[in-house]
Amino acid sequence: MILIGASGHAKVILDILERNNRDIKCLVDANPNIKQLCGYKVEHDADFDFTKKQAILSIGSNSIRKKLAEELPCDFVIGIHPQSVLDSTVSVKEGTVIMAGVVINRDTQVGKHVIVNTSASIDHDCIVNDFVHISPNATLCGTVHIAEGTHIGAGAVVSPNIKIGKWAIIGAGAVVIRDIPDFAVVVGNPGKIIKYTNG
Ligand code: JB3
C-alpha cells in the first residue's frame, strides 16, 4: 500500500501500518524535493499511477484530504493503532486513521478520511463526519455531532449533546458548551466564536 503525503502526519501513520504488518511500497508527495521518509522511498504525483492502489491520505489539512479523496482513483483503507480501544459497535469508514491511545465508545459513527489523533476520546453515540480532524487529547462527550471538515484542536472539550457545524475550527483547549454553526472559529473557556472561515 501507499501513503499520500510525506511529512509529520505520515510518520505517525507509518508507525500504525508497521504495527499492523502492512506492506508499505512507498509514499507519494507533491514536493519533488522530498526523496525519502523514515527509510521509505518518496515518489511524486506527476509521474505516479495511483490507479487502484491501496492508500491512506497522510495529510493533516482537512480540505486537501477532501480534494485528493475526490480526485484520486485509489482504494482507500483504514489505519487503526493496536493500542486504541474501539467498542465493537463503532463504525469507521474508508481512509480514516485512529492513533495510539484513542478510546471510542459504543454506537459512535466515524466517517471517511477522518483523523482521530493521539489519545483523543470520543464517547458514546457520537457522529464524526467525513474529513474531520480530532486533535491529540481532545474529548467529545456523549452524543456529540461534528459535521464535515471540522477541526477540533488539541485538548478541546465538547460537552454532551452538542452539534458542531461543517468546516468549523475549535481552538486548542477550548471548551464548547453550545451548538456551533458552520465555518465558525471558536476559542476559550467557555468557547466563543471569534470569526468565520471562508469554508
Ligand atoms: O497535530 C498533529 C499531531 N499532527 C499534525 C497533522 C495532523 O497535520 C502535524 O503536526 C501537522 O500540522 C500536519 O501534518 P502534515 O500534514 O504532515 O503537515 P505538512 O508538513 O504540512 O505536510 C503535508 C505534506 O503533504 C507536504 O509534504 C505536502 O507537500 C504534501 N501534499 C500537499 N498537497 C501533497 C499534496 N502530497 C501529494 N502527494 N499530493 C498533494 O496534492
Side-chain angles (χ1 to χ4, degrees):
M1 67 170 292
I2 63 165
L3 288 187
I4 300 165
S7 189
H9 186 47
K11 291 181 180 178
V12 185
I13 298 177
L14 283 172
D15 175 42
I16 291 174
L17 298 178
E18 287 167 358
R19 286 169 193 269
N20 284 299
N21 297 313
R22 298 298 303 252
D23 182 22
I24 303 153
K25 296 284 185 216
C26 66
L27 294 88
V28 188
D29 201 281
N31 182 348
N33 298 319
I34 304 175
K35 309 284 189 201
Q36 69 85 35
L37 190 80
C38 303
Y40 295 95
K41 187 168 196 291
V42 176
E43 308 272 6
H44 302 102
D45 293 22
D47 42 28
F48 191 80
D49 180 8
F50 290 93
T51 310
K52 295 263 179 220
K53 297 284 189 305
Q54 291 207 323
I56 291 177
L57 293 166
S58 47
I59 298 175
S61 160
N62 296 343
S63 55
I64 295 177
R65 285 201 313 290
K66 177 169 180 169
K67 176 176 170 283
L68 294 178
E70 289 170 353
E71 281 176 9
L72 295 178
C74 298
D75 291 335
F76 290 109
V77 301
I78 292 167
I80 300 183
H81 195 288
Q83 269 80 53
S84 57
V85 179
L86 276 61
D87 182 81
S88 62
T89 60
V90 169
S91 62
V92 177
K93 289 191 177 160
E94 69 202 48
T96 285
V97 288
I98 313 279
M99 288 7 185
V102 164
V103 178
I104 307 182
N105 278 335
R106 186 152 294 197
D107 291 331
T108 278
Q109 302 169 35
V110 182
K112 294 188 288 187
H113 301 282
V114 170
I115 303 167
V116 187
N117 227 318
T118 311
S119 295
S121 171
I122 305 180
D123 224 288
H124 64 90
D125 297 298
C126 290
I127 298 177
V128 179
N129 271 287
D130 303 344
F131 310 109
V132 163
H133 176 194
I134 311 290
S135 293
N137 276 309
T139 300
L140 308 186
C141 296
T143 324
V144 166
H145 293 190
I146 313 281
E148 181 183 287
T150 282
H151 180 191
I152 307 292
V157 175
V158 183
S159 294
N161 307 313
I162 295 293
K163 291 184 170 52
I164 299 183
K166 63 186 177 184
W167 301 98
I169 299 173
I170 308 301
V175 178
V176 181
I177 59 170
R178 293 190 184 83
D179 288 355
I180 302 296
D182 297 345
F183 309 116
V185 178
V186 174
V187 299
N189 177 10
K192 290 198 166 63
I193 298 171
I194 54 164
K195 60 180 179 178
Y196 289 85
T197 68
N198 298 322

